[in-house]
Amino acid sequence: MAKPKPLMANSSGTDDADTAVQSALRTLDAEGSGIAAIAAALQGPLGSAFTAAVDLIREAKGRVIVTGLGKSGHVARKIAATFASTGTPAFFVHSAEASHGDLGMITADDVIVALSWSGEQPEMKNLITYAKRFRIALIAMTAESESTLSKAADVALTLPKAREACPHNLAPTTSSLMLLALGDALAIALLEGRGFTSVDFSVLHPGGKLGALLKYTRDLMHAGDAVPLRPLGTRMSDALVEMSSKGFGCVGIVDAHGHVVGIVTDGDLRRHMRPDLMTALVDDVMTKNPKTIGRDLLASEALEILNSSKITALIVTDARKPVGILHLHDLLRAGVA
């Protein structure tokens, strides 16, 4: 039986990888140029149109109807979702389906945001006619200022021309990203304009990772007898029993008024390890004026405090009095960390 020939080393795999990376870099450069072009345009005529669009949406009594077809339709779905999740009621209507009954979803109190790079999609004609007939505000997002869509719109957001990342300048790539970026800019401008807070955000995002991050300390903390506490003047032997029985790796120290004035942690035990440690008073071992948090703090903010302070537990206080304790493990179980 003939022996198999040894495999010859070659650099084709490396060359292919280099070619792919160079392609990716060209794509990102092209798409980055599109975003830069929007930023420059906002310093000129696009800026005034953008402001007008924000005002039109903010003053609307109804919802924002975002519509598009093809790749613009996919982008429109995402923009509608971003509007809705940041406090601007919105939903997506497919431009073609609108002519088959979905126009009934749109009311005179709504605002239509129509996406079309060319502004000449025939499927959008009936939607434009409907908007004009019932005097529904229409905002166009297009690259053609002289297009049918642009001329019919109350506000035309005319994007600058940009070359697609596709080497044939055909597949919607840069243009799709530009539409998406401008939609995001609209949503964030509206969010900031109405003072939409993280608390408002939490109401609309109760599930998933975002929902966990937007829970409050009061939702995750341990309260009542679960909180490890001992008064000033307690011997370390008693404090250690409290620390061990509660299982948080620490014990809060309170004064005669019930205010938190210190904390004894595993780290404090290591730093003060000596033969007479168990007979010493917590006053001499504790870390004074420990970090505490309020019960209305967002879990995401509590996590940031734990991480930045390199600690694993925080005592929750109300007017300096302990009402609970929050451990890093609680955040892990809730899906915050």
Side-chain angles (χ1 to χ4, degrees), residues 93-158:
V93 171
H94 193 281
S95 300
E97 293 295 334
S99 299
H100 298 276
D102 284 0
L103 285 173
M105 298 179 179
I106 309 172
T107 73
D109 290 332
D110 297 335
V111 175
I112 299 172
V113 177
L115 281 64
S116 172
W117 192 253
S118 67
E120 296 294 349
Q121 289 172 324
E123 294 87 350
M124 205 169 280
K125 179 181 178 182
N126 289 333
L127 193 147
I128 293 172
T129 301
Y130 184 82
K132 289 301 180 182
R133 178 182 177 185
F134 293 99
R135 298 182 180 179
I136 301 170
L138 175 62
I139 298 171
M141 289 177 61
T142 177
E144 300 293 343
S145 60
E146 297 301 313
S147 65
T148 301
L149 176 61
S150 186
K151 289 182 177 180
D154 297 284
V155 176
L157 298 174
T158 306

Side-chain angles (χ1 to χ4, degrees), residues 286-306:
M286 71 182 188
T287 296
K288 298 180 180 179
N289 302 315
K291 290 183 181 295
T292 61
I293 56 174
R295 67 174 84 203
D296 295 326
L297 192 72
L298 285 172
S300 57
E301 296 176 285
L303 177 62
E304 172 58 29
I305 294 172
L306 287 170

Side-chain angles (χ1 to χ4, degrees), residues 241-260:
V241 170
E242 178 76 355
M243 184 188 302
S244 300
S245 64
K246 299 299 172 65
F248 293 103
C250 65
V251 56
I253 310 301
V254 296
D255 62 16
H257 301 289
H259 297 156
V260 175

Side-chain angles (χ1 to χ4, degrees), residues 32-313:
S33 297
I35 300 300
I38 294 177
L42 282 167
Q43 305 297 318
L46 181 58
S48 57
F50 185 86
T51 300
V54 169
D55 291 341
L56 195 59
I57 295 172
R58 185 169 48 226
E59 294 169 6
K61 296 178 181 179
R63 300 147 301 175
V64 179
I65 312 302
V66 192
T67 186
L69 194 72
K71 301 299 185 294
S72 295
H74 294 307
V75 173
R77 284 183 185 275
K78 191 276 178 184
I79 292 174
T82 300
F83 275 140
S85 70
T86 52
T88 300
F91 65 85
F92 170 77
V93 171
H94 193 281
S95 300
E97 293 295 334
S99 299
H100 298 276
D102 284 0
L103 285 173
M105 298 179 179
I106 309 172
T107 73
D109 290 332
D110 297 335
V111 175
I112 299 172
V113 177
L115 281 64
S116 172
W117 192 253
S118 67
E120 296 294 349
Q121 289 172 324
E123 294 87 350
M124 205 169 280
K125 179 181 178 182
N126 289 333
L127 193 147
I128 293 172
T129 301
Y130 184 82
K132 289 301 180 182
R133 178 182 177 185
F134 293 99
R135 298 182 180 179
I136 301 170
L138 175 62
I139 298 171
M141 289 177 61
T142 177
E144 300 293 343
S145 60
E146 297 301 313
S147 65
T148 301
L149 176 61
S150 186
K151 289 182 177 180
D154 297 284
V155 176
L157 298 174
T158 306
L159 290 96
K161 301 289 181 62
R163 182 176 177 82
E164 302 289 7
C166 165
H168 310 298
N169 196 29
L170 294 173
T173 45
T174 305
S175 57
S176 295
L177 183 63
M178 291 170 71
L179 288 168
L180 179 60
L182 191 59
D184 284 346
L186 276 174
I188 300 305
L190 289 161
L191 176 154
E192 293 177 345
R194 69 168 57 90
F196 191 81
T197 67
S198 57
V199 175
D200 299 319
F201 199 82
S202 68
V203 174
L204 303 177
H205 297 76
K209 177 79 173 196
L210 282 175
L213 287 169
L214 294 167
K215 287 183 181 295
Y216 293 98
T217 299
R218 62 176 180 265
D219 300 323
L220 303 174
M221 72 181 190
H222 303 266
D225 293 339
V227 185
L229 295 171
R230 277 293 179 265
L232 285 170
T234 298
R235 288 194 306 177
M236 278 301 301
S237 57
D238 294 332
L240 186 58
V241 170
E242 178 76 355
M243 184 188 302
S244 300
S245 64
K246 299 299 172 65
F248 293 103
C250 65
V251 56
I253 310 301
V254 296
D255 62 16
H257 301 289
H259 297 156
V260 175
V261 293
I263 191 170
V264 178
T265 66
D266 292 332
D268 292 316
L269 294 178
R270 290 191 295 272
R271 285 187 289 272
H272 292 84
M273 188 61 67
R274 57 181 189 266
D276 64 340
L277 177 62
M278 291 299 98
T279 59
L281 300 180
V282 293
D283 312 44
D284 302 320
V285 178
M286 71 182 188
T287 296
K288 298 180 180 179
N289 302 315
K291 290 183 181 295
T292 61
I293 56 174
R295 67 174 84 203
D296 295 326
L297 192 72
L298 285 172
S300 57
E301 296 176 285
L303 177 62
E304 172 58 29
I305 294 172
L306 287 170
N307 286 335
S308 61
S309 302
K310 297 181 179 179
I311 56 179
T312 58

